[in-house]
Amino acid sequence: MPREIITIQTGQCGNQIGAEFWEQLCLEHGISNDGILEDFATSGNDRKDVFFYQADDDHYIPRSILVDLEPRVISNIMESRCGNLYNPENIFVSKDGSGAGNNWASGYSQGEKICEDILEMLDREADNSDSLEGFNLLHSIAGGTGSGLGSFLLERLSDRYPKKLLQTYSVFPNNENSSDVVVQPYNSLLALKRLAKNADCVMVLDNAALTRIVADRLHIQNPDISHTNQLVSTVLSASTTTLRYPSYMNNDLASMIAPLIPVPKCHFISTAYTPFTSNDAETAKVVRKTTVLDVMRRLLQTKNKMVSTTPTKSSCYISILNIIQGDVEPTEVHKSLLRIRERRIAQFIPWGPASIQVALTKKSPYTHSQHRVSGLMMANHTSIASLFNRTLM
């Protein structure tokens, strides 16, 4: 039985990365931009029901709620080629349309006024699920709507659905460049408190690291938001492949989160991905031979991580889960783990098991990939504290 997940997209950032995510999922499951299953995808053994449900006319609708306090971004999504994909009843735009003005307090206080409408949408989607497992919240912690309204929704969801998992994909601001949002550190601090208190798992995505990857790894000279959003959607889709293409292990959200988080408070997870590809850059289309060892070794390199941290001599990994996609033999994985252990590439905590957990999953048969193997690392690392220090500076 599929364990359904409802996705909540809040604010400009949340809705933009959400739109990219649903576009990617449609490609991977053979679903057209109008939600109709393509003829070549009818015999697949994938679980579309985790993130989609079928309407009465059999077209697929995402289990998503789009929320924003200003209409611009959601209007752009509805006018895009995937605009017909979403359920219009699951879209909420504030009536006055003034936005939160990049202010956490404004977003939070407006949340109190509009919460009944949003909770009604969530309850309807939850009742529409056979076996709801949890919620994914996509947002930024630097602005007003994503941080303020996102914080409010986190508090309400943890009260209303205490036994459901709350996972967030939180985009942290780029503090290396001066921001035009003066209150950005305050927004981040207030949102971080709710992420620490109410979320079960926080996937940390750092704008500074994403911009660096687009420039250095994809060799795009003037990166814009669309390039970083494409990277985030890659992480989102890769982190959910074991749920959508089930194998023997890690078939649900709980079995993925449990090995990563040994104690409830240590639930801020950093990610890395390799090999990077992009349709926008010729140099990012270079095909090389990919092996499991090569992918797993690259995942541990700082330049492939989606979080810019400052590790110290004492910082170490608490846990690692690698999701390896492609045609891979378990013996390859075993040999690769032995080599990594022999070379002591990853330093682990002394009070826990020093092992990298690996989940093998299929690639989508409907999307062409030039590489035989690709990998996503989800890691719990003590150096994440340096990101918090930098965010609050």
Side-chain angles (χ1 to χ4, degrees), residues 1 38 85 104 134 139 152 160 207 247-248 253 255 264 371:
M1 179 186 284
E38 303 281 13
L85 188 67
W104 182 93
H139 70 133
F152 182 82
R160 203 175 185 93
N207 252 338
S247 57
Y248 301 110
L253 200 56
S255 63
H371 299 103

Side-chain angles (χ1 to χ4, degrees), residues 18-300:
E20 291 273 352
F21 171 58
W22 291 113
E23 211 168 309
Q24 181 69 25
L25 250 58
C26 286
L27 283 173
E28 291 186 11
H29 289 288
I31 296 170
S32 73
N33 293 335
D34 294 325
I36 297 159
L37 193 64
E38 303 281 13
D39 294 336
F40 57 78
T42 50
S43 59
N45 58 351
D46 50 350
R47 279 187 188 165
K48 299 177 187 69
D49 297 350
V50 176
F51 286 97
F52 294 90
Y53 63 89
Q54 280 184 285
D56 290 342
D57 61 355
D58 284 347
H59 80 278
Y60 284 87
I61 298 174
R63 297 182 190 276
S64 72
I65 310 282
L66 285 69
V67 182
D68 205 351
L69 298 176
E70 57 160 342
R72 184 173 54 88
V73 175
I74 289 182
S75 296
N76 290 342
I77 292 171
M78 298 314 289
E79 289 165 10
S80 70
R81 60 189 176 196
C82 290
N84 295 330
L85 188 67
Y86 305 95
N87 180 359
E89 289 186 338
N90 286 0
I91 294 170
F92 181 88
V93 179
S94 178
K95 287 185 176 67
D96 61 0
S98 59
N102 287 321
N103 188 306
W104 182 93
S106 174
Y108 190 89
S109 61
Q110 287 190 58
E112 292 177 329
K113 297 171 190 169
I114 63 175
C115 72
E116 288 305 319
D117 294 327
I118 298 171
L119 290 174
E120 184 194 338
M121 294 177 189
L122 288 166
D123 289 343
R124 187 179 66 246
E125 284 296 315
D127 293 340
N128 192 28
S129 308
D130 292 328
S131 178
L132 179 67
E133 183 167 32
F135 300 90
N136 274 350
L137 176 68
L138 315 181
H139 70 133
S140 158
I141 68 162
T145 308
S147 65
L149 182 57
S151 298
F152 182 82
L153 288 174
L154 271 175
E155 290 179 346
R156 283 302 170 99
L157 283 169
S158 60
D159 286 345
R160 203 175 185 93
Y161 299 96
K163 294 186 178 179
K164 303 301 178 189
L165 289 171
L166 270 177
Q167 185 181 32
T168 76
Y169 288 84
S170 305
V171 179
F172 280 59
N174 182 357
N175 284 10
E176 292 171 9
N177 301 333
S178 58
S179 170
D180 55 350
V181 182
V182 180
V183 291
Q184 186 171 282
Y186 302 99
N187 294 340
S188 302
L189 174 65
L190 291 160
L192 269 171
K193 181 189 174 184
R194 274 74 186 178
L195 288 173
K197 193 176 173 185
N198 299 109
D200 294 305
C201 176
V202 178
M203 294 289 181
V204 178
L205 299 156
D206 177 21
N207 252 338
L210 294 169
T211 308
R212 186 199 73 235
I213 287 168
V214 171
D216 296 350
R217 310 293 291 157
L218 301 182
H219 308 288
I220 295 170
Q221 295 305 316
N222 298 308
D224 59 20
I225 293 173
S226 65
H227 296 121
T228 53
N229 286 350
Q230 193 180 355
L231 278 185
V232 174
S233 73
T234 305
V235 171
L236 276 161
S237 63
S239 66
T240 57
T241 42
T242 56
L243 313 177
R244 298 180 287 114
Y245 291 91
S247 57
Y248 301 110
M249 295 170 65
N250 304 98
N251 290 337
D252 56 9
L253 200 56
S255 63
M256 277 177 61
I257 291 175
L260 283 170
I261 301 170
V263 287
K265 294 291 179 191
C266 294
H267 61 245
F268 289 87
I269 307 298
S270 54
T271 55
Y273 187 82
T274 191
F276 291 110
T277 56
S278 173
N279 299 327
D280 303 331
E282 287 298 323
T283 45
K285 294 178 183 174
V286 176
V287 181
R288 61 168 186 268
K289 181 178 170 61
T290 51
T291 63
V292 178
L293 176 60
D294 178 54
V295 165
M296 288 174 75
R297 199 173 63 237
R298 284 172 187 272
L299 287 173
L300 293 165

